Amino acid sequence: MYKIGVLGAGTWGMALARMLANAGNEVRVWSALEREVEEFSKTRRHPNLPKMIIPDEIIFTKNIEDVCTDVDIILCAVPSPFVRSTIASARPFIKDGQIIVDVAKGIEANTLFTMTQVIMSEINKDGSHGNVKLVALSGPTHAEEVSLDMPTTIVSACHDMNAAELVQDIFMNTCMRVYTNVDILGVELCGAMKNIIALASGISAGLGYGDNAKAALITRGMSEITRLGLKMGCMEQTFSGLAGIGDLIVTATSMHSRNNKAGYLIGSGMTPEEAKKEVGMVVEGINALPAAMRLMRHYHVEMPLTYAINAVINEGADAGETVRKLMERGKKSEIDKSVSTLDFESSLLKSKKDTGMRRVMTYGGFDLLHYGHINLLRRAKALGDYLIVGLSTDEFRAKEKGEPCFFDYQKRKELLLSTRYVDLVIPEDSWSQKIPNIKEYHIDVLVMGDHWRGKFDYLRNYGVDVIYLPRTPEVSTTMIKEEVKQGENVPD
Ligand code: C2G
């Protein structure tokens, strides 16, 4: 069994804490609200989940260190606006390499970071948490139903499939079926944006419209979220999966959903403030709107529903009038043109700079690609969402290392691109190209093995995080060559 530290005693955090404790795990729960800690510890009840009994084995604490040290998993279950500050308080107690599972759904308005990117950027401020593994756990999961052990499915998403599969093992049981996905950005984008469409669905119902309008909102809402996601480099299957359409259906059709409920109250005539007060819990769809509007503009994606909801929630537009305008829009085809050229990809890279999407760069020869290289590439990719490798050319390698690589540049490039981590390979033919590369590709993080420690610190002056990761000590290209040579010399 596992030791789980839970940050946040809200509805979702407590439903999961109960499930994990009942599965035999050791579960400790921290809350910033002392009264919650005392009340839940004593009553073993949660006000938002009246039918749920909190297992006696769950330990509550107001000391954040208690849930961050000596645990296999930290579960971040605080509302999205409090993720950054909570991680800042927890950082001193979190060891490098820790697996953190995020269930908060949202996008940070000023950075446009998803929640796992917020966690990574906050926890690695000290540069000594480069190996923390972040897993997003997201899907069609009403806490109320999970708290009653009703059958549920969810997605465990991480660049590192090992981490995603460990979380799958921990959270899987006869009532919770967990699927893995490597597209963490797509999973998190869906989790944040679907709350906005759920608001729309609630507003529609509040205006007295029926299932036809609800189906239209769900379908066209998923279509615009998918358009945005593809422009951000996500995988299309994610949007037709559990974290995508699955979560949107469950959120937009159920009165369990706060977003749907808040939307209904607004459609019925309440102001957003009155509706939020009436719902009494965090309405993530309203929190996600500022970021959604910025993403829409940065990626030049047409998202009429998101635009319309923002007008109603943040600009005082009349809901009924807004629906009429939506219905009177120009004619459209359902089939978007698809774009996939490299020119688009480099223009996407250029536009990504302001949207907080993190681009990582590393350099090397990567000859006779081995697991030491893969360990480096995997950890480098986990620091962002797009990994570029500056691959030493044959000439550069011969000049700098005195001997050519075993595989030529094309073969080494092909091998790198066949891995799950590398998104783009460019030639490295001079030591001085790192600064122009950083500017041209809007690099946020430079990653190198720690035998280079200190050598590239000067790049920090160009706004780049420079992170040195421990080499995999027992393997190297030179060692492989020598062992093969010795093997050749061994008499039959
Ligand atoms: N690496 C590692 N563990 C190993 C071997 C290599 O982590 N056992 C890392 C290195 O630290 C480097 C990357 O994998 O970050 C590529 O390694 P090499 O091909 O040996 O590249 P290097 O000689 O470090 O050249 O401009 C910088 C140079 O191109 C880097």
Side-chain angles (χ1 to χ4, degrees), residues 363-366 370 372-373 376 379 392 397 401 428 431 434 448-449 451-452 456 470-472 475:
Y363 293 86
F366 295 96
H370 54 65
H373 294 137
L376 187 286
R379 289 173 293 163
S392 312
R397 204 67 188 179
K401 297 270 180 174
E428 175 191 29
W431 288 106
K434 293 183 174 66
M448 294 302 291
H451 60 297
W452 291 102
F456 302 116
R471 281 174 65 89
T472 306
V475 66

Side-chain angles (χ1 to χ4, degrees), residues 93-264:
F93 312 111
I94 296 177
K95 67 179 188 304
D96 196 15
Q98 176 70 58
I99 294 181
I100 299 178
V101 180
D102 171 69
V103 294
K105 294 177 180 179
I107 293 182
E108 191 174 58
N110 58 328
T111 60
L112 297 181
F113 280 0
T114 62
M115 290 299 110
T116 61
Q117 288 169 341
V118 167
I119 294 171
M120 187 44 133
S121 69
E122 190 59 39
I123 204 165
N124 204 29
K125 265 184 178 159
D126 57 9
S128 64
H129 285 82
N131 295 317
V132 165
K133 290 187 180 58
L134 287 158
V135 180
L137 200 58
S138 184
T141 53
H142 284 312
E144 294 77 359
E145 295 185 11
V146 170
S147 72
L148 299 172
D149 290 331
M150 294 170 89
T152 299
T153 55
I154 199 165
V155 176
S156 165
C158 182
H159 293 308
D160 177 335
M161 198 40 70
N162 295 326
E165 286 168 354
L166 172 63
V167 171
Q168 181 182 40
D169 291 343
I170 294 173
F171 283 78
M172 189 105 151
N173 56 55
T174 51
C175 306
M176 175 73 79
R177 200 163 157 66
V178 184
Y179 292 78
T180 55
N181 187 335
V182 69
D183 179 22
I184 187 170
L185 179 62
V187 164
E188 291 197 276
L189 183 70
C190 287
M193 301 295 285
K194 56 94 188 173
N195 287 325
I196 296 170
I197 307 303
L199 275 173
S201 177
I203 290 173
S204 169
L207 287 167
Y209 301 141
D211 293 340
N212 297 356
K214 185 176 291 187
L217 288 166
I218 290 171
T219 312
R220 296 307 299 164
M222 199 67 243
S223 169
E224 65 183 51
I225 294 171
T226 305
R227 268 202 304 276
L228 174 65
L230 292 181
K231 284 236 174 155
M232 291 170 67
C234 305
M235 294 164 72
E236 191 151 13
Q237 303 95 307
T238 301
F239 299 89
S240 54
L242 291 165
I245 191 67
D247 199 358
L248 177 53
I249 290 169
V250 90
T251 309
T253 61
S254 160
M255 283 319 264
H256 278 312
S257 152
R258 306 160 195 183
N259 297 284
N260 199 11
K261 202 178 291 177
Y264 183 85

Side-chain angles (χ1 to χ4, degrees), residues 397-415:
R397 204 67 188 179
K399 189 164 56 116
E400 294 306 322
K401 297 270 180 174
E403 58 164 333
C405 292
F406 185 85
F407 287 136
D408 67 25
Y409 177 81
Q410 280 310 328
K411 292 190 183 67
R412 287 181 284 126
K413 175 177 178 179
E414 211 174 299
L415 281 166

